[in-house]
Amino acid sequence: MPAGDFWGNILVTLDSTTISLWDLMSLLFVLLFLYAIIYPQSQLRQIRLRRMAKLKAMEKSHGCKVLTMIHRREAISLFGIPAYQYIDEEDAEQILRWIRKYKDYPLELILHTPGGQLHSSIQIARALRRHSKNTKVIIPHYSMSGGTIIALAANEIVMDKDAVIGPIDPQIGDFIRGMYPAPSWIYAVETKKEKSDDITLVMSDISRKALKFTRNVAKELLEGKIQPGPAGESRLDEVVEKLVSGEMIHSTPLSAGEAKEIGLAVSTDFPEDVHEFMKLFKPVKKSVEYTE
C-alpha cells in the first residue's frame, strides 16, 4: 500500500469533522514553511523601521543627510541563511542616486565594509569627491580596500579610535589561480624572468596597468587633502605609494593613529549615536555575550 494511502486511511475527528492524519501533516508543513518565510521578514522589517528612525534622529542631530553602507552577515534573513555582502554595482547605483538627490546638502556616509568591486568603489568615490557640499565618511569598525577608496574621497574621515582602514593595492587573478596583489605578480616576473609562464606574464602586465590606474585615482581623490612636509614639500606621492605600492599586505589594518602617521587627515571625534545605530544589526555569530 502506498504511504499516502496508509496515512490517508488514518482518520482523526476534530469538532465533528473527520480529516486524515496525512492532511494534518500537510497543513503543519505548510504552516512551518510560511513561518520560516514570514517571521524572519517580519523581524527584519521591524529592525529596519528602528534603523530609519535612528537615521532621521542622526540627520537632525548632525545637520546633514545620512546614508549607510553596511556589509555584514545578519542573523535575520530568509530561512536564517546570511548572505556575504561587498561593494558592487547595485551599491554604486543607489549611492549615486542618493548623492544626486541631495546635491544641495552636506552628506555623511557611514561605512562598514570589507571592500568589493574596484570600479563600483571608484564610481562612489568620484561622486563623493565632486559633491559641492561637505562630505564626511564615518567608520565605526572597518572599511577596507574599496571602502578605503571611498573614504579617501570625503572631505572628512571620522574613525573610531579602534576602527581600521586598509591598503588599496589592486588584486589581480582568476578563479583557477586565485587573487593576488598586483605588486606580487610583478615581483614574480622580475624574479623568474624568462622562466615565467605566459599566464604570469599576462597577469604582470595587467598588474602594472592596474597599479598605474589606482595611483592616478588615489591622487585624484587626495589632491589638496594632504598636509605638506616640514619643508613645505608635497607628500601626496608618498601617501599614495604607502597605500598602493604593496609595501603592506592587502589585509593590513590601519588604525586611526596609523592613518594619521602616513599622512591622511583623520579625526577620532566619533559620534556616539553611530555606535548606537550599529547595535541595530544582529550578528550571525553569537560567541560573545554580555549584559547591558
Side-chain angles (χ1 to χ4, degrees), residues 109-113 136-144 147-148 150-152 156-166 254 256 266-267 270-271 274-275 278:
L109 174 59
I110 300 173
L111 267 183
H112 179 74
T113 179
K136 183 185 295 185
V137 162
I138 300 177
I139 304 172
H141 297 295
Y142 63 85
S143 181
M144 306 297 286
T148 300
I150 295 171
L152 298 180
E156 302 176 60
I157 303 174
V158 180
M159 298 174 61
D160 180 84
K161 61 183 177 61
D162 296 314
V164 296
I165 58 174
L254 298 171
V266 172
S267 168
F270 197 86
V274 174
H275 281 313
M278 293 300 294

Side-chain angles (χ1 to χ4, degrees), residues 52 89 111 126 137 145 149-150 158 161 173 203 215 291:
M52 290 301 103
E89 62 276 359
L111 267 183
R126 282 176 166 166
V137 162
S145 190
I149 291 175
I150 295 171
V158 180
K161 61 183 177 61
M203 292 297 183
R215 284 189 178 97
T291 59

Side-chain angles (χ1 to χ4, degrees), residues 116-181:
Q117 296 174 353
L118 179 62
H119 68 276
S120 298
S121 302
I122 292 173
Q123 271 190 294
I124 296 169
R126 282 176 166 166
L128 271 182
R129 183 75 166 94
R130 288 192 298 266
H131 187 65
S132 60
K133 303 297 182 180
N134 189 61
T135 57
K136 183 185 295 185
V137 162
I138 300 177
I139 304 172
H141 297 295
Y142 63 85
S143 181
M144 306 297 286
S145 190
T148 300
I149 291 175
I150 295 171
L152 298 180
N155 299 129
E156 302 176 60
I157 303 174
V158 180
M159 298 174 61
D160 180 84
K161 61 183 177 61
D162 296 314
V164 296
I165 58 174
I168 57 173
D169 50 314
Q171 306 298 291
I172 306 297
D174 53 38
F175 289 111
I176 298 175
R177 290 179 169 237
M179 303 293 289
Y180 299 98

Side-chain angles (χ1 to χ4, degrees), residues 76-93:
I76 301 171
S77 57
L78 186 62
F79 299 117
I81 302 174
Y84 180 77
Q85 297 179 319
Y86 56 88
I87 302 169
D88 60 16
E89 62 276 359
E90 292 182 2
D91 290 323
E93 179 184 341

Side-chain angles (χ1 to χ4, degrees), residues 54-66:
K54 190 66 176 177
L55 281 178
K56 288 180 180 178
M58 285 194 291
E59 288 184 343
K60 185 175 180 180
S61 173
H62 298 186
C64 61
K65 299 303 294 183
V66 181

Side-chain angles (χ1 to χ4, degrees), residues 90-242:
E90 292 182 2
D91 290 323
E93 179 184 341
Q94 293 177 63
I95 293 180
L96 266 58
R97 187 185 302 124
W98 174 73
I99 292 173
R100 286 193 297 268
K101 181 176 181 180
Y102 298 109
K103 61 178 188 263
D104 297 324
Y105 294 82
L107 304 178
E108 282 185 0
L109 174 59
I110 300 173
L111 267 183
H112 179 74
T113 179
Q117 296 174 353
L118 179 62
H119 68 276
S120 298
S121 302
I122 292 173
Q123 271 190 294
I124 296 169
R126 282 176 166 166
L128 271 182
R129 183 75 166 94
R130 288 192 298 266
H131 187 65
S132 60
K133 303 297 182 180
N134 189 61
T135 57
K136 183 185 295 185
V137 162
I138 300 177
I139 304 172
H141 297 295
Y142 63 85
S143 181
M144 306 297 286
S145 190
T148 300
I149 291 175
I150 295 171
L152 298 180
N155 299 129
E156 302 176 60
I157 303 174
V158 180
M159 298 174 61
D160 180 84
K161 61 183 177 61
D162 296 314
V164 296
I165 58 174
I168 57 173
D169 50 314
Q171 306 298 291
I172 306 297
D174 53 38
F175 289 111
I176 298 175
R177 290 179 169 237
M179 303 293 289
Y180 299 98
S184 297
W185 285 109
I186 297 171
Y187 172 78
V189 169
E190 290 176 346
T191 302
K192 298 182 72 175
K193 296 183 170 50
E194 67 277 359
K195 295 181 181 179
S196 302
D197 60 63
D198 290 346
I199 296 299
T200 304
L201 288 170
V202 170
M203 292 297 183
S204 177
D205 179 58
I206 295 172
S207 295
R208 290 182 189 278
K209 295 171 183 175
L211 281 169
K212 180 180 178 181
F213 172 69
T214 307
R215 284 189 178 97
N216 289 338
V217 169
K219 288 179 182 179
E220 172 191 336
L221 300 177
L222 289 170
E223 186 70 44
K225 299 178 183 177
I226 305 300
Q227 293 295 323
E233 74 278 12
S234 173
R235 297 185 59 208
L236 179 59
D237 289 340
E238 174 190 341
V239 174
V240 169
E241 284 305 299
K242 282 280 188 183

